Amino acid sequence: ISGLGALKSALSGFKASLVSANSLSTYQQRNATSSNSDALTVQASASAALGNYSVSVEGLAAAQSVAVRSTFIAPSSEVGTGTLTFTFGTTGYTPDTGNPPNNANDTYDSFVAKAGVSSKTVTITNAESSLSGVRDAINRADIGVSAAIVNDGTGYRLVMTSDATGAENSVEISVTDTGDSNNTDNLGLSRLAFNSSVGTTNAYQTVAAADAAFTVNGLSLSSDSNIVANALDGLTVTLKQKTTTAVSLAVTDNTAGVKGAITSFVNGYNAFNGAVTRLTKFDTSSGIAGALQGDFTARSIVGQTRATLGAAALGFNGALSRLAEIGITTTNTGDLKVDDTKLDAALKSSHDDVAGVLTRFADMPAESGLSNVTFTDAVERGTYAVAITSLATSGTIADTVASAGFPKTINSANNDFQLTVDGTASGTITLTSQAYANLGVLATEMQTRINADATLRAAGKSVTVSVSGDDLEIRSNSVGSTSTVQIANSGGDSTRTTLGLDTPTTTNGTDLVGTIGGVAGVAEGNVLTAATSSNAAGITVEVSSTTGGNITISDGVVDQLDTLLATFLATDNTIDSRIGRLQKSAEDIVDERAALELRLDSIGARY
């Protein structure tokens, strides 16, 4: 019984060692490193392209801080009552030109509210009218602004900081003062005002809101956050400080992780093999046999396991198919060993071949236009045909703008408009006021201004504005049934008329049309998922052309081992059944022994 328990424990340990080697993500993972982690760090997802990037950081994103000029004797000092209204947007200001500059002398120029973000209010009652009470009321409201009390040596002051970085996330503070009903004087609650009416008289910004400024391979970019997730596909870059020299980012495959997973698998098997050897051997010198020496269950499990180790990957069409071909062989003691030179050569030649030998893998023709296949455990090994009728399309608006109308003058009466892309409405987009010589120049200005809109950028939306003869088209850069474009005038301007987009032709995007396994799939953009009613259910694939092809799902050697071990350890498995029968036999022996004692007592008494 203890021998079978030890065998089951060894099987469990072996199965646990297979997890990394039997995970496709181990082979698809990307590793990214920074040559200067003090300046910036980087993380990579599986979609990141292998390569090197040069990144320079000119400035970090900053959150605005506003300090109240008035000082107070103590945190318990009275401030006032009323309502504070916080509006988020962009503060225009002229920095102090003194030497050194003093931000307390900056000039307040303007404020533009952030599109789509409503103002937030905080009510200050008599119970909260002290300096500490105002601070706590602002923090308790959780509106995106944090307040703190500081002692500057002359008294206690209130400092308010936007929770979000970025030039568009600064705050305008308006006050409704219920104490003296004057909302702008330097008395009562109005001492906290910071807006175009009072400028910096009552409060001033100690830190100006700013976007991060950086370059990637010489291309200038900006971000309202120091965590940049959309500049490089598959990479998340965290900016930490300005740089004087460019930082090198390297994206590499997961060779070290793959080798670590293989080492874990090999060590797991060797531990299992050692345990089985001890349980089944016969020591000729001592004459002592292992607990499972000659046991059929142990022999069967070991035989099936070793046969699977020597088998080929099932259904895999790569150049390699067996463990020995990637450098994993068996020693004369039954252990596994790894030939690092052979494994390195296999990994250098093709990560996919190594993955196909070891785990479940999806293979497809190189020119099929199919990529990033994912599949669930329920998908059976086999070949699934993918046929593509049409790719997804983008939403557009288009119209004819007669060249006779140029040069076209844009001014304050026709320079503002709003664009809705994929359901996200932009802020007010303002074209540069000037005379545009032709439609091409105007289209370039429109695309630049549209794609610079912070609201669209934050939502990951952008467009391409193109010209063909006298035809102007604005196309969403996304695809699928959610891809749409709509244009509207803003602020009473006649921009649509000036641009020739009064009655444009509007075309909404469409999703891809295709089948997987002969059954129409469910599409979202150019991503196709097999129908749940089909034998391919669980397969999802990205599509870039109508070529199509076959997706072949194969089972690697480690995956076969994992499946085999799962049957050995499943509910009502052979080992547990054997243990149960042996335990029952042991109980029967106890009962028989007790009965024998009674018989002996009876016989003894009779004698």
Side-chain angles (χ1 to χ4, degrees):
I1 292 173
S2 63
L4 288 170
L7 175 61
K8 184 178 179 181
S9 177
L11 285 168
S12 296
F14 181 27
K15 189 175 189 303
S17 73
L18 304 180
V19 174
S20 292
N22 195 32
S23 173
L24 189 56
S25 62
T26 299
Y27 308 91
Q28 295 176 333
Q29 181 180 323
R30 297 289 184 260
N31 296 323
T33 57
S34 166
S35 64
N36 183 356
S37 57
D38 291 332
L40 60 90
T41 57
V42 60
Q43 291 180 314
S45 69
S47 63
L50 302 179
N52 296 281
Y53 304 91
S54 177
V55 181
S56 296
V57 183
E58 284 78 36
L60 297 178
Q64 184 194 47
S65 286
V66 175
V68 175
R69 292 185 184 273
S70 297
T71 59
F72 297 85
I73 296 174
S76 59
S77 298
E78 183 74 8
V79 178
T81 59
T83 301
L84 299 171
T85 300
F86 295 86
T87 303
F88 297 88
T90 304
T91 300
Y93 70 101
T94 302
D96 177 54
T97 57
N99 188 15
N102 182 354
N103 50 21
N105 297 328
D106 291 349
T107 302
Y108 191 107
D109 296 330
S110 63
F111 182 81
V112 178
K114 186 175 183 178
V117 179
S118 60
S119 298
K120 309 292 184 181
T121 60
V122 178
T123 301
I124 307 299
T125 64
N126 287 326
E128 301 158 321
S129 60
S130 66
L131 187 62
S132 60
V134 171
R135 174 200 62 193
D136 295 343
I138 293 172
N139 291 336
R140 188 166 53 246
D142 190 23
I143 59 171
V145 175
S146 300
I149 297 173
V150 298
N151 187 340
D152 66 359
T154 63
Y156 293 90
R157 303 170 64 190
L158 188 69
V159 175
M160 293 166 284
T161 303
S162 173
D163 291 345
T165 59
E168 273 203 331
N169 293 314
S170 64
V171 293
E172 175 191 70
I173 307 170
S174 298
V175 180
T176 301
D177 193 333
T178 58
D180 60 5
S181 299
N182 188 323
N183 301 329
T184 59
D185 65 2
N186 203 20
L187 298 171
L189 194 65
S190 57
R191 284 175 283 192
L192 276 62
F194 178 72
N195 53 58
S196 56
S197 297
V198 296
T200 60
T201 302
N202 298 355
Y204 64 95
Q205 59 182 17
T206 55
V207 177
D211 289 338
F214 59 102
T215 64
V216 177
N217 291 350
L219 178 65
S220 295
L221 300 170
S222 64
S223 168
D224 61 4
S225 170
N226 290 318
I227 300 176
V228 184
N230 55 6
L232 293 167
D233 188 32
L235 295 182
T236 298
V237 180
T238 301
L239 310 178
K240 301 169 72 174
Q241 66 182 31
K242 292 182 181 180
T243 59
T244 55
T245 58
V247 178
S248 296
L249 301 184
V251 182
T252 59
D253 54 36
N254 190 34
T255 296
V258 172
K259 295 180 73 172
I262 290 174
T263 298
S264 175
F265 150 56
V266 168
N267 290 342
Y269 175 76
N270 290 344
F272 165 74
N273 186 57
V276 168
T277 299
R278 290 190 296 274
L279 289 168
T280 59
K281 74 176 181 179
F282 179 79
D283 189 335
T284 55
S285 61
S286 64
I288 298 175
L292 300 181
Q293 199 268 329
D295 183 82
F296 171 78
T297 299
R299 289 203 314 271
S300 175
I301 288 174
V302 171
Q304 292 180 69
T305 301
R306 289 176 176 169
T308 304
L309 281 172
L314 299 177
F316 182 58
N317 298 321
L320 308 174
S321 62
R322 298 178 183 274
L323 293 182
E325 294 172 342
I326 63 172
I328 304 173
T329 56
T330 306
T331 67
N332 56 9
T333 63
D335 280 350
L336 293 179
K337 67 176 182 177
V338 179
D339 183 333
D340 283 330
T341 301
K342 197 167 185 178
L343 177 58
D344 287 340
L347 287 169
K348 185 176 181 180
S349 172
S350 173
H351 258 65
D352 286 352
D353 279 352
V354 175
V357 170
L358 295 172
T359 189
R360 297 198 82 202
F361 190 75
D363 190 30
M364 66 222 70
E367 305 301 325
S368 63
L370 308 178
S371 62
N372 296 328
V373 176
T374 61
F375 52 93
T376 64
D377 291 339
V379 179
E380 295 183 359
R381 181 179 72 254
T383 299
Y384 303 88
V386 179
I388 306 301
T389 303
S390 62
L391 294 176
T393 62
S394 299
T396 63
I397 57 173
D399 214 334
T400 299
V401 183
S403 57
F406 288 87
K408 193 179 292 290
T409 300
I410 299 293
N411 54 40
S412 59
N414 58 13
N415 63 348
D416 288 345
F417 66 97
Q418 185 182 51
L419 202 71
T420 300
V421 182
D422 304 346
T424 298
S426 71
T428 298
I429 298 171
T430 303
L431 300 176
T432 303
S433 294
Q434 65 181 48
Y436 291 86
N438 54 59
L439 186 57
V441 176
L442 180 58
T444 300
E445 169 71 2
M446 291 176 64
Q447 178 173 306
T448 300
R449 297 299 176 185
I450 293 168
N451 291 339
D453 180 78
T455 304
L456 295 179
R457 287 204 326 269
K461 308 299 181 183
S462 62
V463 301
T464 298
V465 183
S466 60
V467 172
S468 177
D470 286 350
D471 295 330
L472 176 70
E473 179 188 81
I474 303 176
R475 177 180 295 273
S476 169
N477 286 339
S478 70
V479 295
S481 56
T482 60
S483 178
T484 59
V485 180
Q486 295 175 317
I487 190 170
N489 288 325
S490 181
D493 283 13
S494 58
T495 311
R496 286 181 60 181
T497 301
T498 302
L499 297 176
L501 293 171
D502 265 335
T503 56
T505 299
T506 301
T507 305
N508 292 337
T510 59
D511 290 320
L512 169 149
V513 177
T515 63
I516 301 181
V519 180
V522 179
E524 183 176 344
N526 279 323
V527 177
L528 185 63
T529 299
T532 55
S533 59
S534 73
N535 66 343
I539 296 177
T540 297
V541 58
E542 291 183 18
V543 182
S544 60
S545 80
T546 57
T547 304
N550 292 330
I551 295 175
T552 301
I553 307 296
S554 59
D555 294 339
V557 175
V558 173
D559 182 71
Q560 295 174 55
L561 278 170
D562 191 61
T563 301
L564 178 65
L565 297 181
T567 62
F568 293 154
L569 298 169
T571 304
D572 297 329
N573 61 75
T574 301
I575 296 176
D576 286 343
S577 296
R578 285 283 313 281
I579 291 174
R581 289 195 297 271
L582 289 170
Q583 288 174 330
K584 179 64 171 62
S585 297
E587 292 169 0
D588 291 344
I589 290 172
V590 172
D591 293 340
E592 291 170 2
R593 188 173 288 159
L596 180 60
E597 291 290 341
L598 289 174
R599 285 182 58 203
L600 290 174
D601 288 345
S602 175
I603 292 171
R606 189 167 67 250
Y607 286 172

